[in-house]
Amino acid sequence: MFSPYYAWARRRGPADPEDHCALNVALYGARARRWSMTERGRGAIKRDAESFEIGPCRLPWTRREQTNEINEVTVPWPLPLRGKVRVVPTALNEIAFTLDAAGRHRWQPIAPCCRVSVDFDHPDLHWRGDGYFDINHGDAPLERDFKSWQWSRAATRTGTVISYDTTARTGADKSIALHVDPDARLDRLAPLADAPLRRTLWRIDRSARADSETPVRVVSTLEDAPFYARSHLAARIGGEDVAVMHESLSLDRFKQLIVQAMLPFRMPRWSG
């Protein structure tokens, strides 16, 4: 959805989304920090009900788990990125949420509670922990209908708490707050208190939802891009101290031509 090549193609008329596919891999940490997001054309795509392949990467789904078989080259320094990420949901959620008044954009937290295993050969990296899997899909470019959004997810003792706030270009803004337990039982919550955070180096506005009695702290900014930030926060939700994964997206920034021209630096394209 953030492909500059797809955006350029749409300006010329109807464009084929399957001609603009990529698997984004981002590793963080002192031992290994890697990024890969190579876009490939339709000729490099294979798909059926149980597998999706993008070039040398394969994503099989067994109805019980998803395995990301990764074989890529990083940017900006060309280093090998080879390994597997295994995602095992405790249960699957079939409920999708409409994000805009016209019903053109939808969000579905497919597996809000997962166990994840990461095993890479290049770099040598192994990890086990808690995870999450969702999708966004729609019938119009995001930048046409939204100015920005703030999203966060925290694993708690009883499941997962998700907050999703969208700022619309027309119509009403939207706030979604959910608690999902490991069996995918979903409860709508009243939105938590909105806490402003310090801006990123690229001057992207950030805010997060948490209990009102305690401040939200930015532990680290994992991605700081001209239109997007991914952050690790520390907060209290439902009286529990939690680690929060958070993202801020500025679609006003994304649609600027100068930003579009910068994106191929992080997202090369292979047309085969």
Side-chain angles (χ1 to χ4, degrees), residues 10-54:
R10 291 199 311 267
R11 292 192 187 102
R12 298 191 295 268
D16 179 6
E18 291 199 355
D19 199 38
H20 302 275
C21 293
L23 179 67
N24 180 209
V25 183
L27 302 180
Y28 307 108
R31 293 184 56 237
R33 189 175 181 91
R34 302 284 192 276
W35 170 278
S36 175
M37 194 173 182
T38 300
E39 181 173 303
R40 290 179 167 85
R42 172 179 280 278
I45 307 304
K46 297 179 182 178
R47 63 191 298 176
D48 57 34
E50 297 181 347
S51 182
F52 183 38
E53 297 182 27
I54 307 174

Side-chain angles (χ1 to χ4, degrees), residues 5-229:
Y5 312 99
Y6 189 30
W8 297 335
R10 291 199 311 267
R11 292 192 187 102
R12 298 191 295 268
D16 179 6
E18 291 199 355
D19 199 38
H20 302 275
C21 293
L23 179 67
N24 180 209
V25 183
L27 302 180
Y28 307 108
R31 293 184 56 237
R33 189 175 181 91
R34 302 284 192 276
W35 170 278
S36 175
M37 194 173 182
T38 300
E39 181 173 303
R40 290 179 167 85
R42 172 179 280 278
I45 307 304
K46 297 179 182 178
R47 63 191 298 176
D48 57 34
E50 297 181 347
S51 182
F52 183 38
E53 297 182 27
I54 307 174
C57 299
R58 184 170 175 267
L59 289 73
W61 167 249
T62 67
R63 302 184 185 278
R64 303 176 83 177
E65 66 180 62
Q66 183 200 5
T67 302
N68 299 272
E69 300 173 0
I70 299 160
N71 183 9
E72 280 288 1
V73 176
T74 64
V75 292
W77 312 115
L79 300 172
L81 187 63
R82 292 197 297 270
K84 292 184 179 181
V85 178
R86 183 169 169 256
V87 180
V88 182
T90 62
L92 299 177
N93 166 59
E94 297 182 353
I95 299 173
F97 296 86
T98 300
L99 298 177
D100 64 309
R104 287 191 287 261
H105 302 274
R106 294 163 293 281
W107 165 68
Q108 182 178 348
I110 294 177
C113 301
C114 303
R115 296 303 296 170
V116 176
S117 62
V118 176
D119 292 290
F120 274 80
D121 299 320
H122 296 279
D124 184 14
L125 181 67
H126 306 274
W127 179 82
R128 304 289 184 273
D130 177 76
Y132 169 90
F133 175 36
D134 71 359
I135 60 171
N136 282 77
H137 57 100
D139 307 312
L142 287 172
E143 66 270 21
R144 182 182 302 173
D145 294 319
F146 299 106
K147 295 180 179 179
S148 63
W149 76 44
Q150 307 285 330
W151 172 94
S152 65
R153 178 258 177 183
T156 71
R157 289 188 295 265
T158 58
T160 292
V161 174
I162 311 165
S163 295
Y164 202 157
D165 297 283
T166 58
T167 303
R169 295 203 179 279
T170 59
D173 300 341
K174 198 158 192 175
S175 293
I176 300 173
L178 305 174
H179 175 270
V180 190
D181 73 11
D183 295 320
R185 287 188 290 266
L186 185 151
D187 293 318
R188 295 290 296 261
L189 305 175
L192 299 171
D194 192 23
L197 306 173
R198 67 174 185 269
R199 285 180 170 181
T200 68
L201 292 177
W202 280 100
R203 311 300 292 168
I204 297 294
D205 290 324
R206 293 185 284 188
S207 64
R209 299 280 184 174
D211 292 355
S212 59
E213 296 84 4
T214 56
V216 179
R217 180 169 59 89
V218 178
V219 177
S220 61
T221 301
L222 303 172
E223 291 293 341
D224 190 348
F227 69 95
Y228 174 84

